[in-house]
Each structure stands twice: as C-alpha cells, then as structure tokens.
Amino acid sequence: FVSSLFAATLPPAASWHYGASAVVTMVAISGIWCAVVALALSQAPVLRAYRRMRRGLDRATGVVFVGFGGKLAFTPS
C-alpha cells in the first residue's frame, strides 16, 4: 500500500526503472523498519515494560478508536 502511494507521486514521464526502484526502496525501508521494531520489542526490559502497561495501553487505544468511530458515525456526509 505504501509503495503504491509512493509510486503515485512519481513524475508522469518517469521510466519504469525509476518507478520500480521507488517501489523497491519503499519495500526495503518498510522491511527494515519492521525488523527494527521487532528487535526492539523483543528485548527483555522493553517486553517487561510492555507487559506492565499492556492493559492501560489497550484501554487508551480503545478509547481513541471509539472516539474515531463516534466522530465518523456522527459526522454528516
């Protein structure tokens, strides 16, 4: 999805090589980001902190999503 958005911003006269390299770059950046996050969250201190805060984080994100849903439900289209 992100790669397609990135490719949509290319100049109209861009060659397919240019577009393919943009998509490959975005895939590489996404893969590296996911690997860094996975490595960071697999560290024992981070994992312990997450387990301590998980219930509060779940509640906070739940409130945020309910708020987004409420805004979406009550916004005239």
Side-chain angles (χ1 to χ4, degrees):
F1 175 74
V2 173
S3 295
S4 65
L5 290 176
F6 191 80
T9 64
L10 295 174
S15 69
W16 73 270
H17 292 98
Y18 191 71
S21 66
V23 170
V24 167
T25 301
M26 288 306 298
V27 169
I29 290 171
S30 297
I32 291 168
W33 170 252
C34 289
V36 167
V37 169
L39 287 172
L41 294 179
S42 66
Q43 301 301 310
V46 177
L47 190 56
R48 281 193 300 272
Y50 170 72
R51 286 182 178 154
R52 265 194 328 270
M53 299 185 314
R54 180 169 53 188
R55 186 168 291 191
L57 286 170
D58 286 347
R59 287 182 179 151
T61 54
V63 166
V64 169
F65 284 131
V66 167
F68 285 150
K71 182 175 179 176
L72 184 63
F74 295 111
T75 300
S77 53

